[in-house]
Amino acid sequence: MSLLTLENVHSYYGHIHALKGLSISVEEGEIVTLIGANGAGKSTTLRTISGIIHPREGRIIFNGKDISQMDAHKIVQSGLGHVPEGRGIFPKLTVRENLEIGAFTENSQVDIAGRMERAFTLFPRLKERLSQKGGTLSGGEQQMLAIARSMMIKPRVLMLDEPSMGLAPVLVELIFDIIKTLNEQGTTILLVEQNALMALSIAHRGYVLQTGGVVVADTSENLKKNAMVQKAYLGID
């Protein structure tokens, strides 16, 4: 059984039918990427998994349990982390306070301190800015903080929505290197990313979404060779 599975999921924003029978799966230890144009349903997929919106039809199974109608905070407690598009840090709180809020599921101060140290190993800049307010960090540092905050729950699956958005190329490479490191250390990744070539360069498998459904599903290597993917998302005619 897959670690995370969506079965025929239909999600709506009011009367707008955003996901139309979406079915995907993520195996433990994988990096799986969702690629597609704006409005294809990529961010809605992550929002539906994390309980921000609930599907009207279909099921979401995580670690053998149906979480389709579960409250968002309980989904986090079950081990699903979500770094939203736009980062979503608390700008008026310090780096330390942002990280402490990320550890709301944990009561042990020893464990919280250990997870914070792990975050500093991955993101040494954050340790230098512990007392600095989140809103004063650079865009790259804010993205680091957003990822580090989600890692404070020690997620089995980490969902990342557009982690490279607005970043300089050198920082994009750094963020993707960190995503690979997290995966190598045991965290399963579900990645939404407009930079399809970068996403496919680190992912094991991918799904191409159009108008709320999957139109192509394959290994990353095969997707990079797919003529439709090349033309629509990789800039290759």
Side-chain angles (χ1 to χ4, degrees):
M1 179 182 291
S2 300
L3 180 57
L4 176 65
T5 305
L6 279 67
E7 301 174 351
N8 192 35
V9 168
H10 293 257
S11 292
Y12 292 74
Y13 293 108
H15 297 296
I16 299 172
H17 197 174
L19 298 183
K20 304 172 182 178
L22 184 74
S23 295
I24 65 171
S25 65
V26 181
E27 304 294 331
E28 187 155 17
E30 282 190 310
I31 300 177
V32 174
T33 187
L34 307 180
I35 60 178
N38 287 335
K42 306 183 303 297
S43 294
T44 302
T45 299
L46 301 195
R47 290 167 63 86
T48 301
I49 295 169
S50 62
I52 297 171
I53 58 177
H54 295 302
R56 293 191 192 174
E57 298 177 48
R59 298 196 308 161
I60 303 169
I61 308 299
F62 174 57
N63 196 26
K65 185 174 183 179
D66 190 335
I67 63 169
S68 308
Q69 303 301 320
M70 188 180 289
D71 291 340
H73 71 281
K74 292 183 179 178
I75 290 174
V76 173
Q77 290 172 339
S78 73
L80 266 167
H82 183 185
V83 181
E85 180 181 353
R87 300 161 192 143
I89 65 163
F90 297 97
K92 294 184 178 180
L93 300 183
T94 66
V95 167
R96 179 187 292 279
E97 289 166 340
N98 269 275
L99 294 175
E100 288 173 344
I101 287 174
F104 79 96
T105 61
E106 182 56 63
N107 294 318
S108 167
Q109 293 302 313
V110 173
D111 285 347
I112 292 172
R115 292 177 192 183
M116 203 172 286
E117 281 305 315
R118 183 193 178 202
F120 297 149
T121 300
L122 289 167
F123 305 105
R125 290 192 207 180
L126 296 182
K127 190 168 188 178
E128 299 169 6
R129 290 158 173 73
L130 259 186
S131 301
Q132 192 169 328
K133 289 188 177 180
T136 67
L137 301 176
S138 70
E141 290 164 349
Q142 288 186 19
Q143 187 64 70
M144 294 174 194
L145 178 57
I147 295 172
R149 185 183 61 189
S150 283
M151 290 305 298
M152 291 295 289
I153 68 163
K154 203 174 181 180
R156 289 192 68 182
V157 175
L158 180 62
M159 302 187 295
L160 296 156
D161 196 351
E162 304 288 4
S164 75
M165 183 178 288
L167 301 184
V170 65
L171 288 175
V172 172
E173 290 191 14
L174 174 61
I175 292 296
F176 273 79
D177 284 344
I178 288 166
I179 293 170
K180 284 177 62 177
T181 298
L182 289 172
N183 179 247
E184 289 164 0
Q185 292 176 352
T187 304
T188 301
I189 305 288
L190 180 57
L191 171 66
V192 165
E193 176 56 56
Q194 284 285 356
N195 188 334
L197 189 58
M198 283 293 290
L200 292 172
S201 73
I202 67 166
H204 301 96
R205 295 189 298 114
Y207 294 91
V208 180
L209 272 56
Q210 288 181 5
T211 59
V214 174
V215 292
V216 182
D218 212 329
T219 66
S220 292
E221 286 305 311
N222 285 342
L223 287 174
K224 283 189 282 189
K225 299 171 186 174
N226 181 291
M228 182 275 284
V229 173
Q230 287 182 341
K231 184 174 182 180
Y233 305 110
L234 304 182
I236 302 173
D237 292 325

